[in-house]
Amino acid sequence: MEEQVPGAMGSSASLALRFGQTCFSCASLLFMCLDIEFYSYTTFCFLVTVMGLVIPWSLVLVLVDAYSVFVKSLDLQRRNLLMIIIGDLVLSFLSLAAACSTASVADLLLDVGRSFCPAKLCSRFQLSAAMAFLSWFLSFSSSLFNLWLLPSL
Amino acid sequence: MEEQVPGAMGSSASLALRFGQTCFSCASLLFMCLDIEFYSYTTFCFLVTVMGLVIPWSLVLVLVDAYSVFVKSLDLQRRNLLMIIIGDLVLSFLSLAAACSTASVADLLLDVGRSFCPAKLCSRFQLSAAMAFLSWFLSFSSSLFNLWLLPSL
């Protein structure tokens, strides 16, 4: 039995991280999309696109982790782990970019005037950006944990 | 003589990377600040703050690398390298955030109307965001190269 890095693929901490990613990215998508005309701003379309990539990715990894924790421990290949790390890094950069853009645009809209964005709508954009930030944080930390595991394989 | 990782601290590729970071972050700061009222937008102030952190950091590392390349090869401690990696990662995240925010705000201002931002001004904001993106890319890649070197120390 090899030493387990807490938070690396296949551990229960990783399952919790992936589950958090899925929840936060779904919440971000719902806050942005539900009953709102978001098409008119490029930034918001970018956020929706990125979340549409993050959600299936985290869902698949939640399933893999749940299988590894509850059914049978997986033995990871070095190549697969590298693919997961790179995917996590790319998606975490994209979600950071989307979160920052959304936050700054929501802030600007709130500043510039009520005509573009009633206060209730703007606070929903801000909530969506906050959720995207949390999802970025979780996916970046799980990529770091996996990177920690890499040299031991 | 140990194996050199190209791009890690003390090599000439690293000197080139750091020099690029310094140039691009200075260019971004100048495009944003010179003769422009940027105080009215939170995002632009954030970009200026971040670039004010990135420029001294890259300048110091340019000097260290130049010393190591031209005068005397440094032997790095593991602890110092870890500090450099963490600093690079934090600054690269900050500059990515600033670049994305600036780009999205500039795009929005260009969309919303000429009254907020004449076309010439907006294109300067966009140029500044592009420079910040390049500086992010270089500092992230040098942090990755250093991370590659870390296990061998």
Side-chain angles (χ1 to χ4, degrees):
Chain A
M1 197 66 197
E2 68 177 310
E3 196 85 7
Q4 271 281 23
V5 179
M9 273 306 284
S11 66
S12 49
S14 165
L15 180 61
L17 279 178
R18 300 291 177 188
F19 189 69
Q21 284 165 38
T22 316
C23 290
F24 286 129
S25 46
C26 286
S28 168
L29 190 65
L30 288 181
F31 274 124
M32 181 56 76
C33 286
L34 223 61
D35 272 338
I36 294 186
E37 286 279 324
F38 65 88
Y39 306 106
S40 32
Y41 302 105
T42 325
T43 313
F44 298 157
C45 296
F46 178 52
L47 182 78
V48 169
T49 315
V50 171
M51 287 303 142
L53 289 170
V54 170
I55 291 173
W57 172 266
S58 343
L59 265 181
V60 168
L61 291 177
V62 159
L63 291 181
V64 171
D65 272 343
Y67 183 83
S68 165
V69 169
F70 295 118
V71 184
K72 198 177 103 203
S73 183
L74 299 169
D75 56 334
L76 281 165
Q77 303 290 318
R78 194 188 166 87
R79 208 177 42 185
N80 298 352
L81 191 64
L82 201 61
M83 264 173 49
I84 291 176
I85 292 172
I86 293 176
D88 263 336
L89 263 187
V90 170
L91 284 180
S92 76
F93 275 118
L94 283 178
S95 55
L96 176 65
C100 291
S101 318
T102 308
S104 60
V105 166
D107 190 61
L108 185 72
L109 284 179
L110 207 60
D111 261 12
V112 163
R114 301 289 170 202
S115 57
F116 296 110
C117 159
K120 206 179 147 206
L121 205 60
C122 264
S123 68
R124 276 187 63 173
F125 292 149
Q126 281 169 334
L127 266 177
S128 169
M131 295 292 137
F133 268 116
L134 288 174
S135 139
W136 160 69
F137 185 73
L138 292 183
S139 84
F140 184 63
S141 54
S142 60
S143 127
L144 280 187
F145 285 129
N146 283 330
L147 203 60
W148 207 253
L149 179 67
L150 193 63
S152 74
L153 282 186
Chain B
M1 198 65 197
E2 68 178 309
E3 195 85 7
Q4 270 281 21
V5 178
M9 273 305 286
S11 65
S12 49
S14 165
L15 180 60
L17 279 178
R18 300 289 177 190
F19 189 69
Q21 283 165 38
T22 316
C23 291
F24 286 128
S25 46
C26 286
S28 169
L29 189 66
L30 288 181
F31 274 123
M32 181 56 77
C33 286
L34 222 62
D35 271 339
I36 293 186
E37 287 278 325
F38 64 88
Y39 306 106
S40 32
Y41 302 104
T42 324
T43 312
F44 298 157
C45 295
F46 178 53
L47 182 79
V48 170
T49 315
V50 170
M51 287 304 141
L53 289 171
V54 170
I55 292 172
W57 172 265
S58 342
L59 265 182
V60 168
L61 291 176
V62 159
L63 291 182
V64 172
D65 272 342
Y67 183 85
S68 165
V69 169
F70 296 119
V71 183
K72 198 177 103 207
S73 182
L74 299 170
D75 54 335
L76 281 165
Q77 305 289 318
R78 193 188 166 86
R79 208 178 41 185
N80 299 351
L81 192 64
L82 201 61
M83 264 174 49
I84 291 175
I85 292 173
I86 292 176
D88 263 336
L89 265 187
V90 170
L91 285 180
S92 76
F93 275 118
L94 283 178
S95 56
L96 176 65
C100 289
S101 317
T102 308
S104 60
V105 166
D107 190 60
L108 184 72
L109 284 179
L110 208 59
D111 262 12
V112 164
R114 300 290 168 201
S115 56
F116 297 110
C117 156
K120 206 179 149 205
L121 206 59
C122 264
S123 68
R124 274 187 63 172
F125 292 149
Q126 281 170 335
L127 265 177
S128 168
M131 295 293 138
F133 268 115
L134 288 175
S135 142
W136 159 68
F137 185 73
L138 292 183
S139 84
F140 184 64
S141 55
S142 61
S143 127
L144 280 187
F145 285 128
N146 282 330
L147 204 59
W148 206 252
L149 179 68
L150 193 62
S152 73
L153 283 185

